[in-house]
PDB file of all heavy atoms in Angstrom:
ATOM      1  N   PHE A  30      -9.829  23.525 -24.003  1.00  0.00           N
ATOM      2  CA  PHE A  30      -8.810  24.380 -23.924  1.00  0.00           C
ATOM      3  C   PHE A  30      -8.586  25.514 -24.954  1.00  0.00           C
ATOM      4  O   PHE A  30      -7.826  26.392 -24.876  1.00  0.00           O
ATOM      5  CB  PHE A  30      -7.540  23.574 -23.960  1.00  0.00           C
ATOM      6  CG  PHE A  30      -7.181  22.726 -22.778  1.00  0.00           C
ATOM      7  CD1 PHE A  30      -7.933  21.730 -22.308  1.00  0.00           C
ATOM      8  CD2 PHE A  30      -6.106  23.124 -21.940  1.00  0.00           C
ATOM      9  CE1 PHE A  30      -7.647  20.935 -21.133  1.00  0.00           C
ATOM     10  CE2 PHE A  30      -5.753  22.503 -20.786  1.00  0.00           C
ATOM     11  CZ  PHE A  30      -6.571  21.333 -20.340  1.00  0.00           C
ATOM     12  N   TYR A  31      -9.528  25.438 -25.944  1.00  0.00           N
ATOM     13  CA  TYR A  31      -9.386  26.425 -27.027  1.00  0.00           C
ATOM     14  C   TYR A  31     -10.501  27.322 -27.104  1.00  0.00           C
ATOM     15  O   TYR A  31     -10.728  28.076 -28.130  1.00  0.00           O
ATOM     16  CB  TYR A  31      -9.385  25.564 -28.448  1.00  0.00           C
ATOM     17  CG  TYR A  31      -8.322  24.425 -28.388  1.00  0.00           C
ATOM     18  CD1 TYR A  31      -8.608  23.110 -28.422  1.00  0.00           C
ATOM     19  CD2 TYR A  31      -7.032  24.842 -28.265  1.00  0.00           C
ATOM     20  CE1 TYR A  31      -7.760  22.213 -28.421  1.00  0.00           C
ATOM     21  CE2 TYR A  31      -5.944  23.872 -28.320  1.00  0.00           C
ATOM     22  CZ  TYR A  31      -6.398  22.497 -28.255  1.00  0.00           C
ATOM     23  OH  TYR A  31      -5.413  21.509 -28.289  1.00  0.00           O
ATOM     24  N   GLY A  32     -11.361  27.459 -26.090  1.00  0.00           N
ATOM     25  CA  GLY A  32     -12.333  28.431 -25.838  1.00  0.00           C
ATOM     26  C   GLY A  32     -11.911  29.859 -25.931  1.00  0.00           C
ATOM     27  O   GLY A  32     -10.730  30.163 -25.558  1.00  0.00           O
ATOM     28  N   ASN A  33     -12.798  30.721 -26.364  1.00  0.00           N
ATOM     29  CA  ASN A  33     -12.278  32.212 -26.331  1.00  0.00           C
ATOM     30  C   ASN A  33     -12.404  32.812 -24.993  1.00  0.00           C
ATOM     31  O   ASN A  33     -12.113  34.057 -24.749  1.00  0.00           O
ATOM     32  CB  ASN A  33     -13.337  33.061 -27.317  1.00  0.00           C
ATOM     33  CG  ASN A  33     -14.729  32.889 -26.963  1.00  0.00           C
ATOM     34  OD1 ASN A  33     -15.089  32.441 -25.952  1.00  0.00           O
ATOM     35  ND2 ASN A  33     -15.558  33.592 -27.684  1.00  0.00           N
ATOM     36  N   ASN A  34     -12.775  31.875 -23.827  1.00  0.00           N
ATOM     37  CA  ASN A  34     -12.571  32.506 -22.574  1.00  0.00           C
ATOM     38  C   ASN A  34     -11.405  31.953 -21.812  1.00  0.00           C
ATOM     39  O   ASN A  34     -11.261  32.062 -20.627  1.00  0.00           O
ATOM     40  CB  ASN A  34     -13.879  31.953 -21.748  1.00  0.00           C
ATOM     41  CG  ASN A  34     -14.037  30.387 -21.789  1.00  0.00           C
ATOM     42  OD1 ASN A  34     -13.660  29.744 -22.618  1.00  0.00           O
ATOM     43  ND2 ASN A  34     -14.528  29.925 -20.654  1.00  0.00           N
ATOM     44  N   VAL A  35     -10.463  31.475 -22.545  1.00  0.00           N
ATOM     45  CA  VAL A  35      -9.297  30.768 -22.092  1.00  0.00           C
ATOM     46  C   VAL A  35      -7.997  31.733 -22.190  1.00  0.00           C
ATOM     47  O   VAL A  35      -7.857  32.350 -23.272  1.00  0.00           O
ATOM     48  CB  VAL A  35      -8.889  29.468 -22.754  1.00  0.00           C
ATOM     49  CG1 VAL A  35      -7.608  28.900 -22.314  1.00  0.00           C
ATOM     50  CG2 VAL A  35     -10.047  28.514 -22.477  1.00  0.00           C
ATOM     51  N   VAL A  36      -7.368  31.920 -21.110  1.00  0.00           N
ATOM     52  CA  VAL A  36      -6.152  32.765 -21.068  1.00  0.00           C
ATOM     53  C   VAL A  36      -4.837  31.984 -20.845  1.00  0.00           C
ATOM     54  O   VAL A  36      -4.926  31.211 -19.927  1.00  0.00           O
ATOM     55  CB  VAL A  36      -6.247  33.844 -19.968  1.00  0.00           C
ATOM     56  CG1 VAL A  36      -4.926  34.681 -19.918  1.00  0.00           C
ATOM     57  CG2 VAL A  36      -7.439  34.776 -20.213  1.00  0.00           C
ATOM     58  N   LYS A  37      -4.002  32.030 -21.771  1.00  0.00           N
ATOM     59  CA  LYS A  37      -2.685  31.115 -21.460  1.00  0.00           C
ATOM     60  C   LYS A  37      -1.845  31.913 -20.476  1.00  0.00           C
ATOM     61  O   LYS A  37      -1.640  33.036 -20.546  1.00  0.00           O
ATOM     62  CB  LYS A  37      -1.892  30.976 -22.826  1.00  0.00           C
ATOM     63  CG  LYS A  37      -2.431  30.104 -23.775  1.00  0.00           C
ATOM     64  CD  LYS A  37      -2.270  28.512 -23.296  1.00  0.00           C
ATOM     65  CE  LYS A  37      -0.772  28.142 -23.225  1.00  0.00           C
ATOM     66  NZ  LYS A  37      -0.278  28.029 -24.640  1.00  0.00           N
ATOM     67  N   VAL A  38      -1.374  31.096 -19.548  1.00  0.00           N
ATOM     68  CA  VAL A  38      -0.346  31.574 -18.471  1.00  0.00           C
ATOM     69  C   VAL A  38       0.949  30.893 -18.897  1.00  0.00           C
ATOM     70  O   VAL A  38       1.139  29.661 -18.800  1.00  0.00           O
ATOM     71  CB  VAL A  38      -0.818  31.154 -17.068  1.00  0.00           C
ATOM     72  CG1 VAL A  38       0.319  31.597 -16.111  1.00  0.00           C
ATOM     73  CG2 VAL A  38      -2.143  31.727 -16.723  1.00  0.00           C
ATOM     74  N   GLU A  39       1.801  31.716 -19.376  1.00  0.00           N
ATOM     75  CA  GLU A  39       3.093  31.310 -20.066  1.00  0.00           C
ATOM     76  C   GLU A  39       4.246  31.052 -19.050  1.00  0.00           C
ATOM     77  O   GLU A  39       5.115  30.155 -19.306  1.00  0.00           O
ATOM     78  CB  GLU A  39       3.427  32.192 -21.214  1.00  0.00           C
ATOM     79  CG  GLU A  39       2.456  32.377 -22.181  1.00  0.00           C
ATOM     80  CD  GLU A  39       2.295  31.249 -23.165  1.00  0.00           C
ATOM     81  OE1 GLU A  39       3.142  30.293 -23.064  1.00  0.00           O
ATOM     82  OE2 GLU A  39       1.558  31.376 -24.187  1.00  0.00           O
ATOM     83  N   THR A  40       4.371  31.827 -18.007  1.00  0.00           N
ATOM     84  CA  THR A  40       5.533  31.753 -17.132  1.00  0.00           C
ATOM     85  C   THR A  40       5.144  31.673 -15.647  1.00  0.00           C
ATOM     86  O   THR A  40       3.969  31.976 -15.321  1.00  0.00           O
ATOM     87  CB  THR A  40       6.430  32.990 -17.438  1.00  0.00           C
ATOM     88  OG1 THR A  40       5.563  34.291 -16.907  1.00  0.00           O
ATOM     89  CG2 THR A  40       6.629  33.267 -18.796  1.00  0.00           C
ATOM     90  N   LEU A  41       6.129  31.297 -14.919  1.00  0.00           N
ATOM     91  CA  LEU A  41       6.013  31.333 -13.404  1.00  0.00           C
ATOM     92  C   LEU A  41       5.722  32.734 -12.842  1.00  0.00           C
ATOM     93  O   LEU A  41       4.958  32.867 -11.926  1.00  0.00           O
ATOM     94  CB  LEU A  41       7.138  30.661 -12.722  1.00  0.00           C
ATOM     95  CG  LEU A  41       7.081  29.087 -12.442  1.00  0.00           C
ATOM     96  CD1 LEU A  41       8.395  28.759 -11.780  1.00  0.00           C
ATOM     97  CD2 LEU A  41       5.861  28.702 -11.610  1.00  0.00           C
ATOM     98  N   LYS A  42       6.277  33.640 -13.400  1.00  0.00           N
ATOM     99  CA  LYS A  42       6.184  34.968 -12.923  1.00  0.00           C
ATOM    100  C   LYS A  42       4.636  35.342 -13.087  1.00  0.00           C
ATOM    101  O   LYS A  42       4.030  36.020 -12.120  1.00  0.00           O
ATOM    102  CB  LYS A  42       7.018  35.993 -13.748  1.00  0.00           C
ATOM    103  CG  LYS A  42       8.430  35.956 -13.467  1.00  0.00           C
ATOM    104  CD  LYS A  42       9.228  36.981 -14.139  1.00  0.00           C
ATOM    105  CE  LYS A  42      10.828  36.839 -13.871  1.00  0.00           C
ATOM    106  NZ  LYS A  42      11.583  37.755 -14.481  1.00  0.00           N
ATOM    107  N   GLU A  43       4.068  35.099 -14.294  1.00  0.00           N
ATOM    108  CA  GLU A  43       2.574  35.415 -14.404  1.00  0.00           C
ATOM    109  C   GLU A  43       1.806  34.641 -13.427  1.00  0.00           C
ATOM    110  O   GLU A  43       0.891  35.275 -12.827  1.00  0.00           O
ATOM    111  CB  GLU A  43       2.198  35.030 -15.886  1.00  0.00           C
ATOM    112  CG  GLU A  43       2.738  35.795 -16.953  1.00  0.00           C
ATOM    113  CD  GLU A  43       2.368  35.194 -18.329  1.00  0.00           C
ATOM    114  OE1 GLU A  43       1.059  35.203 -18.626  1.00  0.00           O
ATOM    115  OE2 GLU A  43       3.236  34.590 -19.111  1.00  0.00           O
TER     116      GLU A  43
END
Side-chain angles (χ1 to χ4, degrees):
F30 282 74
Y31 308 113
N33 61 6
N34 60 327
V35 174
V36 175
K37 283 289 293 285
V38 179
E39 304 281 3
T40 67
L41 268 180
K42 288 182 181 180
E43 292 176 65

